[in-house]
Amino acid sequence: MKIMLPADSKMHSKAFTFGVATASFQIEGAVDYRLPCIWDTFCATPGKIRDNSDGSQACEHVKLWREDVDLIESLGVDAYRLSISWPRVMHKDGSLNPQGVAFYTDLLDELNRRGIKTFVTLYHWDLPQHIEDNGGWLNRETAYLFADYADKITQAFGDRVYSYATFNEPFCSSYLGYEIGVHAPGLATKAFGRQSAHHLLLAHGLAMKVLQKNSPNSQNGIVLNFTPCYSATDSAADVEAASKADQYFNQWYIKPLFDRCYPEIINDFATEDMPVIEQGDFDIIAQPIDFLGINFYTRAVYKADPATGFSQIDMVDKPKTDIGWEIYPQSFTDLLTSLHALYPLPPIYITENGAAMDDKLIEGKVDDQDRLEYYNAHLNAVNNAIEQGVNVVGYFAWSLMDNFEWAEGYLKRFGIVYVDYETQKRTLKASAHAYRDFINARK
Ligand code: IFM
């Protein structure tokens, strides 16, 4: 199977950026050369990671990064999206760690030498543990520490970076990490979810000011994930349930960026669950952004629930990926067109999209036609949104290679490149060949 878009698609143009994405904790390994982070602690807590694994080895990218740059170049992509490990580049006292900084400057220099645009995310979930010990994202002070880290690291990187994102998926850090506890740091209190989300957004606003000052020539923005919410039936109660879920899980993170407030659902909160918001916070949060990064994987369907307001229903018998997420590409188009209608969006990069599949390495090959079908359908869904007027300017496959999939450990494979964790051999899957051929065929 090939990736096929309509002949007149704007995505065939060289002006459209195609890339692959990774994140520090998921690929780097080399834990001895950095401070401990919240994911080290979480992995060491029994029962948190399905295969009891951790990030100590991962894809050994710190050791193998030169080969990985060769791999990226071999795919013919325009761009590589990576994240910086805060605990690798900063000492406890808040000064830069030159060894950690050198790892990234060497990597960025090599990518630039090969003409691969560098998309850098400053925070993809690996908060230094000593900051968590002081309250982590529940402590307002962490937002200011993040801005300080952003200031120092962007000065050190100089003009090496094409694009900076402050955060990757603040929803996951706050909701999964502090509200339901399935991600690090594993806290499970409703009020914690909302408070940490507010501090993450505040940190984004503070850091945006730093980025625009230190790196005015970069494309600076934020990456948000969205799981579009649909109602199980047309009943008014279910429609309202889906709207509430959407406000809580999706709009919560984007609305303050443009409208300087949280969605209406905040009025339903009990007093003890209200986040503390200081005067002027929304003005800090709503900094102009040069781009919005959107991560999309699946949708969710909701019905009314008298106890909680909304509850998600399992889409039994619908096609799903190996991680159990429904495959429903139409919702990608719906998402992009609805956000376009709701907000004055800057140019959009799809900063993540992809699928975990039950890959089999047979005689040195992985024939992942299921993943390839997913990519084909979702790239066409993006194209449909562009045809309806949405300004999408780039797309990144998640992920360059199989890696540590958080609470799932190494059990779920999202890569277009297969990683044998024993030997660290990388093998291009059929999806990688198709992505490469599609990108290289552009006029
Ligand atoms: O692997 C993650 C990534 O770190 C953030 N976005 C979703 C991916 C798949 O779960």
Side-chain angles (χ1 to χ4, degrees):
M1 180 178 183
K2 282 183 175 177
I3 292 174
M4 299 273 287
L5 290 177
D8 62 350
S9 168
K10 289 193 179 152
M11 295 167 76
H12 288 303
S13 154
K14 272 277 188 193
F16 193 92
T17 298
F18 278 103
V20 284
T22 63
S24 47
F25 190 89
Q26 293 179 274
I27 64 165
E28 285 182 354
V31 289
D32 297 346
Y33 296 94
R34 60 160 173 77
L35 295 175
C37 77
I38 55 175
W39 273 93
D40 299 317
T41 312
F42 194 68
C43 291
T45 312
K48 296 295 184 191
I49 310 296
R50 267 186 66 203
D51 59 359
N52 299 314
S53 63
D54 57 34
S56 55
Q57 188 186 6
C59 305
E60 292 188 20
H61 173 70
V62 166
K63 187 168 133 203
L64 301 173
W65 69 270
R66 287 180 192 281
E67 286 91 321
D68 288 338
V69 173
D70 290 342
L71 183 67
I72 294 164
E73 188 179 32
S74 79
L75 294 171
V77 291
D78 310 305
Y80 174 50
R81 175 173 178 246
L82 67 143
S83 79
I84 307 300
S85 163
W86 184 352
R88 193 177 294 289
V89 296
M90 298 284 273
H91 290 302
K92 245 182 179 170
D93 65 3
S95 62
L96 285 175
N97 174 344
Q99 193 189 8
V101 174
F103 166 67
Y104 292 110
T105 51
D106 288 350
L107 173 60
L108 294 169
D109 283 343
E110 193 55 40
L111 290 162
N112 283 323
R113 245 193 304 280
R114 299 184 193 211
I116 299 166
K117 288 181 193 159
T118 52
F119 280 66
V120 165
T121 301
L122 293 175
Y123 186 85
H124 197 126
W125 310 354
D126 36 6
L127 185 71
Q129 182 61 43
H130 69 96
I131 299 179
E132 179 59 35
D133 294 341
N134 209 19
W137 290 110
L138 297 175
N139 184 347
R140 189 177 170 93
E141 182 58 25
T142 300
Y144 291 86
L145 291 179
F146 178 75
D148 181 58
Y149 149 59
D151 185 28
K152 289 177 177 145
I153 198 67
T154 52
Q155 289 193 47
F157 286 165
D159 60 3
R160 290 178 173 88
V161 175
Y162 180 83
S163 163
Y164 279 110
T166 52
F167 285 90
N168 180 71
E169 305 181 349
F171 158 85
C172 294
S173 295
S174 56
Y175 182 75
L176 302 181
Y178 288 87
E179 187 160 335
I180 62 166
V182 297
H183 275 192
L187 303 181
T189 300
K190 190 161 187 179
F192 289 179
R194 298 301 105 183
Q195 192 62 64
S196 57
H198 185 68
H199 290 153
L200 283 153
L201 289 166
L202 180 69
H204 157 75
L206 293 168
M208 274 308 299
K209 290 191 194 188
V210 169
L211 293 177
Q212 300 296 33
K213 178 165 153 276
N214 290 359
S215 201
N217 298 325
S218 305
Q219 295 292 303
N220 302 320
I222 186 170
V223 171
L224 302 178
N225 61 304
F226 294 90
T227 303
C229 302
Y230 292 76
S231 59
T233 71
D234 290 341
S235 76
D238 286 350
V239 170
E240 197 191 343
S243 158
K244 288 202 167 171
D246 181 50
Q247 292 178 48
Y248 201 68
F249 297 127
N250 297 318
Q251 307 303 326
W252 194 271
Y253 303 87
I254 186 169
K255 192 172 174 65
L257 303 182
F258 296 103
D259 295 350
R260 294 168 195 251
C261 61
Y262 287 119
E264 265 178 21
I265 195 171
I266 194 169
N267 300 321
D268 295 356
F269 289 5
T271 317
E272 65 270 22
D273 294 334
M274 284 286 178
V276 176
I277 302 169
E278 292 191 7
Q279 203 175 4
D281 281 0
F282 286 116
D283 294 332
I284 297 172
I285 292 170
Q287 295 303 306
I289 49 177
D290 302 326
F291 79 94
L292 175 67
I294 292 182
N295 294 355
F296 172 88
Y297 290 90
T298 187
R299 70 161 179 172
V301 179
Y302 289 91
K303 66 174 168 51
D305 182 324
T308 57
F310 47 86
S311 63
Q312 192 180 345
I313 60 169
D314 184 10
M315 299 304 281
V316 186
D317 297 335
K318 296 288 181 204
K320 295 191 178 131
T321 63
D322 190 42
I323 203 166
W325 298 349
E326 187 188 352
I327 302 172
Y328 193 78
Q330 176 61 43
S331 71
F332 202 178
T333 311
D334 295 348
L335 167 71
L336 293 168
T337 53
S338 68
L339 292 177
H340 175 67
L342 280 172
Y343 302 106
L345 298 177
I348 294 168
Y349 285 94
I350 305 305
T351 31
E352 286 181 27
N353 177 233
M357 293 297 181
D358 184 17
D359 297 321
K360 301 274 180 271
L361 180 69
I362 300 169
E363 293 174 3
K365 291 192 172 135
V366 180
D367 193 19
D368 58 338
Q369 295 298 320
D370 43 8
R371 180 177 291 103
L372 186 40
E373 264 174 45
Y374 180 100
Y375 275 114
N376 194 39
H378 286 78
L379 284 162
N380 276 279
V382 174
N383 184 61
N384 291 342
I386 294 173
E387 282 179 357
Q388 291 174 56
V390 186
N391 187 18
V392 183
V393 296
Y395 175 98
F396 289 78
W398 182 271
S399 175
L400 162 66
M401 57 186 161
D402 298 333
N403 57 51
F404 177 77
E405 178 51 27
W406 308 112
E408 301 289 330
Y410 297 95
L411 299 176
K412 301 296 167 198
R413 292 179 176 271
F414 272 93
I416 59 172
V417 173
Y418 186 90
V419 176
D420 177 332
Y421 295 111
E422 292 291 310
T423 62
Q424 290 297 335
K425 186 173 173 352
R426 279 81 159 125
T427 303
L428 268 64
K429 303 178 189 175
S431 56
H433 289 288
Y435 194 52
R436 181 195 59 197
D437 293 348
F438 170 76
I439 291 169
N440 290 334
R442 284 177 303 163
K443 294 177 201 94

